[in-house]
Amino acid sequence: MKKTVVFGFLGARLDAIGGFNAQKRWNKWRPSVGLCSQPDLPVHRLELLHDPRDIQLACRIASDIAEVSPATEVRCFELALADPWDFEEVYTRLRDFSLDYDFDIDREDYLVHITTGTHVAQICWFLLTEAHYFPGRLIQTTPRRGKEEGLRDSSAGFVDVIDLDLSRYDQIAQRFRHEQADEISRLKSGIATKNAAFNVMIERIGRVAGRSRAPMLLTGPTGAGKSFLARRIFELKQERQKLKGRFVEVNCATLRGDSAMSALFGHVKGAFTGAQNERAGLLRSAHGGVLFLDEIGELGTDEQAMLLKAIEDKRFPPFGGDREVESDFQLIAGTNRDLRQRIREGRFRADLYARIDLWTFRLPALAERPEDIEPNLDYELARYARDYGVQMRFNVEARRRYLDFACSRETLWPGNFRELTASVTRLATLATNGRITEANVAEEIERLRAAWEDAREPSGIAQAVLGEEVAGKLDLFDRSQLEAVLQACRRSRSLSDAGRILFAHSRQQKKQANDADRLRKYLLRFGLDWETVQEAKSL
């Protein structure tokens, strides 16, 4: 006859209640004890999984089971879970446990107790048992509603062995798909983006946000939505109850000198002239939450060193003080700079970059996502309606004309989504009777063209890079083309970035074209490389 072996979590709450009454009978139902009290289902071995902090309760449960079922062997297994509500972690740990377990299906029958543990644990038990990682059946225990004749007491409860229903698995899987889709939609603020690369990036950010507290680095041009996305990541983590603190945002480009140290790390009284009171600082304000450091590439080297210590040790001294303070926060950093180039220039610490580069996501420019302009246009109109209480709509031809222009090759959108927001705001503000007309669109297009024409004007950058003599020998055609290329490089954070802007349309026809390599070869025609071009960015 096979032995019955049961796997289950210790019920940190349900198993902790109750005990013996004066008649040496149990006065409360406890699922793990009740499971082993069944006259018709003798349990030969109970594999009891528990958090290391509950070791005393696990030992007490083992002792109590010995009272009601001396033949039951109880084996306790410590299973440390950082977050028992994290599906990925619980599923992985239970799966690893099953792979390490020495099952003997010829001599033992296995049951999986799903009454105890979090709802996430119950779902994971279900999925792993259905997938035969645990080669057995599910069992559920419930309390009796009062004592019944012939029973020692009512604390044993009922047991119910469950046959797996694959339709339930489909419902559970569908539920997780819906939840994941909802989280991704929230990260995109409900905007139905169509750009495949962007959607893949957002999905990956969602997975990382749910599973990791390591620093994240958001790169991309100004106005691409780094601050916007950082706040959405915070909201997602907050909804998952992974954070209890605030979202604290600071633009590092505004921090200079002693005020930078004070703003970030706080200061003690008398730390510098004018420091009449102690200041907590932004890092301490972000304790338990998210600190978003936008334009982290502008941070001074002293502040970088302090920030690295704060990230690694979760401790740092306030400016002017010797006594360290604590702050445990998640860092999200944003930059439109090429941090590797700044490392080469000695303006950014390599060790800090290594620490924040674990999860790096590049947000593409608006010009790289023409298929997403229309859904973002609808989003901006809806936002205008919320902010101003006025519903605005395009006339059919006006909408078509605006989108044709916005998605065309001549559009630059150097300000990215900020510029699109400003454009829609102007259209909605100048429109009458709730309708944006062709005349409104024509006026806005002319305004954008004029603004972008200024950006196209020769800047003398070719002359600065090549020298006046060499540049003066170029044909007007070659010089104008080179000026346009160098302007694109000046607006970009990397060679690949610039290549994507310059070859956005021809790339679609040449599926395997390497934008960076094409641009590198073009620059070589003039004896230029990326590093030389970068030196002209300050012009």
Side-chain angles (χ1 to χ4, degrees):
M1 183 177 179
K2 291 185 178 182
K3 294 183 178 180
T4 299
V5 178
V6 181
F7 299 91
F9 276 105
L10 174 70
R13 182 176 60 85
L14 291 176
D15 281 333
I17 62 177
F20 283 118
N21 61 20
Q23 289 76 37
K24 288 292 182 180
R25 296 185 178 185
W26 302 107
N27 55 23
K28 290 289 184 180
W29 171 76
R30 294 183 293 172
S32 295
V33 177
L35 173 67
C36 299
S37 306
Q38 302 300 316
D40 299 327
L41 182 65
V43 176
H44 296 90
R45 188 167 73 250
L46 174 63
E47 310 288 28
L48 192 62
L49 282 63
H50 66 89
D51 186 278
R53 294 170 295 184
D54 296 326
I55 181 63
Q56 292 185 343
L57 175 60
C59 292
R60 180 156 65 89
I61 291 299
S63 176
D64 291 345
I65 289 174
E67 289 281 346
V68 297
S69 180
T72 300
E73 176 190 5
V74 179
R75 299 199 304 186
C76 298
F77 293 89
E78 291 188 356
L79 192 72
L81 296 170
D83 183 359
W85 293 93
D86 186 296
F87 176 81
E88 174 73 14
E89 182 185 12
V90 177
Y91 185 93
T92 301
R93 295 299 304 278
L94 286 178
R95 179 178 175 275
D96 291 344
F97 178 86
S98 71
L99 294 175
D100 292 336
Y101 193 86
D102 187 16
F103 292 101
D104 187 352
I105 58 176
D106 293 329
R107 294 183 176 85
E108 297 176 338
D109 279 329
Y110 298 103
L111 297 172
V112 176
H113 189 206
I114 64 170
T115 303
T116 51
T118 64
H119 295 313
V120 171
Q122 293 167 355
I123 293 172
C124 291
W125 279 132
F126 185 100
L127 296 177
L128 289 164
T129 305
E130 191 276 334
H132 301 293
Y133 283 102
F134 289 90
R137 295 169 295 168
L138 302 178
I139 187 169
Q140 186 173 10
T141 55
T142 55
R144 295 181 184 273
R145 303 300 180 185
K147 297 182 179 181
E148 298 182 8
E149 191 69 29
L151 292 175
R152 181 184 178 193
D153 53 56
S154 62
S155 63
F158 291 103
V159 295
D160 183 21
V161 177
I162 303 171
D163 289 327
L164 288 178
D165 182 352
L166 292 182
S167 66
R168 295 183 185 180
Y169 171 80
D170 292 337
Q171 293 172 9
I172 292 171
Q174 186 177 23
R175 171 187 168 189
F176 278 111
R177 286 195 296 269
H178 284 322
E179 288 180 353
Q180 184 183 32
D182 184 54
E183 289 173 352
I184 293 172
S185 178
R186 287 202 300 273
L187 284 175
K188 299 190 295 184
S189 296
I191 303 173
T193 56
K194 301 175 183 178
N195 182 273
F198 179 79
N199 288 336
V200 169
M201 181 194 70
I202 291 296
E203 183 178 354
R204 187 165 298 170
I205 288 175
R207 291 202 299 270
V208 172
R211 304 172 189 175
S212 174
R213 295 192 72 243
M216 298 173 68
L217 178 61
L218 306 180
T219 69
T222 299
K226 296 184 289 292
S227 176
F228 187 81
L229 181 57
R231 184 172 287 276
R232 289 292 177 270
I233 293 171
F234 165 75
E235 292 170 355
L236 175 60
K237 297 177 79 72
Q238 196 175 46
E239 288 172 4
R240 292 184 177 185
Q241 298 182 337
K242 292 183 176 295
L243 296 172
K244 296 181 180 179
R246 301 166 44 201
F247 178 81
V248 178
E249 178 178 358
V250 59
N251 189 325
C252 297
T254 65
L255 303 177
R256 292 289 184 273
D258 291 347
S259 63
M261 280 289 192
S262 173
L264 289 173
F265 308 104
H267 63 248
V268 298
K269 183 178 179 180
F272 53 87
T273 303
Q276 299 179 356
N277 298 298
E278 181 179 320
R279 181 179 184 180
L282 294 170
L283 268 68
R284 291 174 70 184
S285 298
H287 177 68
V290 166
L291 175 66
F292 176 53
L293 294 182
D294 199 10
E295 304 303 343
I296 193 172
E298 307 299 327
L299 206 59
T301 53
D302 290 341
E303 289 79 15
Q304 292 174 32
M306 285 277 285
L307 177 62
L308 179 61
K309 174 178 174 56
I311 297 171
E312 293 184 336
D313 300 342
K314 305 186 188 307
R315 298 180 61 84
F316 55 90
F319 182 54
D322 298 324
R323 189 172 182 179
E324 291 187 333
V325 296
E326 295 184 359
S327 183
D328 185 5
F329 56 86
Q330 177 169 4
L331 175 68
I332 301 179
T335 183
N336 66 349
R337 300 285 192 178
D338 184 346
L339 294 184
R340 292 188 181 91
Q341 176 63 24
R342 294 181 79 80
I343 290 173
R344 289 191 290 268
E345 296 169 353
R347 302 172 67 182
F348 201 83
R349 294 179 62 101
D351 50 2
L352 177 58
Y353 178 75
R355 191 66 180 84
I356 66 175
D357 189 41
L358 175 61
W359 299 112
T360 297
F361 301 97
R362 178 191 173 273
L363 276 64
L366 179 59
E368 299 174 53
R369 299 168 52 192
E371 65 270 54
D372 288 342
I373 290 179
E374 184 171 10
N376 274 280
L377 175 63
D378 294 332
Y379 173 80
E380 293 300 339
L381 286 173
R383 180 158 66 175
Y384 184 89
R386 290 194 306 269
D387 293 346
Y388 296 95
V390 180
Q391 193 77 31
M392 285 292 173
R393 292 183 175 85
F394 279 88
N395 289 340
V396 174
E397 284 303 313
R399 180 184 179 91
R400 181 194 60 76
R401 183 173 179 183
Y402 185 81
L403 285 173
D404 284 348
F405 167 77
C407 301
S408 68
R409 295 187 179 187
E410 69 174 298
T411 53
L412 296 178
W413 296 115
N416 293 291
F417 290 93
R418 288 178 186 164
E419 192 165 21
L420 179 63
T421 300
S423 177
V424 174
T425 300
R426 284 192 296 268
L427 285 167
T429 302
L430 295 174
T432 57
N433 301 320
R435 307 298 293 187
I436 300 172
T437 65
E438 284 188 84
N440 297 134
V441 169
E443 181 182 350
E444 177 61 18
I445 288 175
E446 287 306 310
R447 186 188 187 284
L448 290 171
R449 278 176 173 158
W452 295 342
E453 194 62 37
D454 291 341
R456 289 189 178 100
E457 285 295 319
S459 62
I461 189 172
Q463 180 175 317
V465 173
L466 296 175
E468 184 175 355
E469 182 178 353
V470 175
K473 294 179 181 180
L474 293 176
D475 289 336
L476 178 61
F477 174 83
D478 289 334
R479 180 163 179 167
S480 297
Q481 187 180 58
L482 179 59
E483 287 278 355
V485 170
L486 294 177
Q487 288 281 11
C489 292
R490 187 168 67 174
R491 296 194 303 270
S492 304
R493 62 179 287 277
S494 68
L495 191 69
S496 296
D497 269 354
R500 276 188 285 267
I501 293 172
L502 291 165
F503 307 120
H505 297 285
S506 61
R507 182 194 318 119
Q508 298 174 8
Q509 301 171 357
K510 300 178 181 179
K511 299 296 184 181
Q512 297 181 351
N514 186 314
D515 297 334
D517 188 57
R518 292 176 68 186
L519 178 54
R520 185 182 296 106
K521 290 177 179 177
Y522 175 82
L523 294 175
L524 281 174
R525 287 171 50 192
F526 302 93
L528 299 175
D529 56 25
W530 179 252
E531 286 70 23
T532 304
V533 172
Q534 290 300 291
E535 295 174 0
K537 275 194 172 185
S538 60
L539 297 177

